[in-house]
Amino acid sequence: MSSDKQCCPTDAPPVRNPYNPTGDAFYMTGPIDSKRAVLIVGDIFGVLPNAKRYADVLAKEGYLVLYPDFMGDRAWDEHSWPPNFESEEFKKFYAFITDYQHHMVLARRACALLRRLGVEKIATIGMCWGARVAFDLAGEGLVEAASSAHPSRFTAEVMAPAARVPICVLPSKDENAEDMAGVEKAVNAHTVEPHVYKL
């Protein structure tokens, strides 16, 4: 039986509660029963639609893709780039993004979640800021492969512990040349036959 009465006949506003959730946020796509997964460690702008599109493209190849939201509501506004690097706002943000031990907690939990879902092989991709976290996961032996595109704050010292697994580093022309020379040397010392490509 239909009715024209309001479903909530009251003038009282909805209950407001200043609660900060404590759970993790992820974007997950792809076959849930896949034995192969890709863990994406994104950039400082958070899980934007284009980032989800990238995850969906990988999922179409049969991978279970997990994209943790490392930045949450602290993600840098993509329309405010480049920032005033000397501003207090950016200095505070920089302290947050360079607290890698804080971010590794979520990264390890993401790996554990994938293993609990039955994933046997995890590859991780670090996008810009995410390079460090991706290669730290490899250095800890939590993933079977590590890669990065346009790695930020990335040096041979960061990459060296990851040398136990297959790696791929795709620097752009904007990376620090001295840092990338050290990375190239570390790649050439990798236990897997090295391949360094330059455009």
Side-chain angles (χ1 to χ4, degrees), residues 9-93:
T10 179
D11 294 330
V15 175
R16 290 181 174 84
N17 185 349
Y19 177 72
N20 292 320
T22 60
D24 300 321
F26 302 98
Y27 178 72
M28 182 183 285
T29 183
I32 196 73
D33 59 348
S34 178
K35 299 300 180 191
R36 302 174 304 152
V38 177
L39 173 60
I40 300 176
V41 184
D43 58 29
I44 64 171
F45 304 110
V47 186
L48 297 175
N50 195 45
K52 291 179 179 179
R53 178 180 175 271
Y54 177 56
D56 291 341
V57 167
L58 293 171
K60 286 180 182 176
E61 298 299 320
Y63 299 102
L64 176 59
V65 183
L66 188 62
Y67 198 137
D69 187 3
F70 287 92
M71 299 295 126
D73 60 4
R74 297 175 76 172
W76 194 264
D77 181 1
E78 64 178 322
H79 301 293
S80 298
W81 193 265
N84 174 357
F85 293 105
E86 300 304 318
S87 70
E88 287 305 312
E89 179 187 22
F90 188 79
K91 287 178 182 177
K92 184 177 178 182
F93 179 72

Side-chain angles (χ1 to χ4, degrees), residues 116-194:
R116 290 290 298 231
L117 290 172
V119 169
E120 296 172 359
K121 294 191 179 228
I122 302 172
T124 184
I125 301 172
M127 307 303 291
C128 193
W129 168 85
R132 168 72 183 265
V133 175
F135 277 75
D136 282 354
L137 287 172
E140 292 184 10
L142 296 175
V143 297
E144 282 70 38
S147 63
S148 177
H150 181 29
S152 172
R153 299 184 45 78
F154 194 70
T155 63
E157 291 74 24
V158 170
M159 197 202 79
R164 68 180 75 188
V165 302
I167 57 174
C168 176
V169 181
L170 303 170
S172 76
K173 63 179 177 55
D174 298 322
E175 262 63 72
N176 179 289
E178 186 178 332
D179 287 345
M180 289 303 105
V183 168
E184 182 177 339
K185 185 176 179 182
V187 168
N188 284 329
H190 194 285
T191 55
V192 178
E193 183 182 355

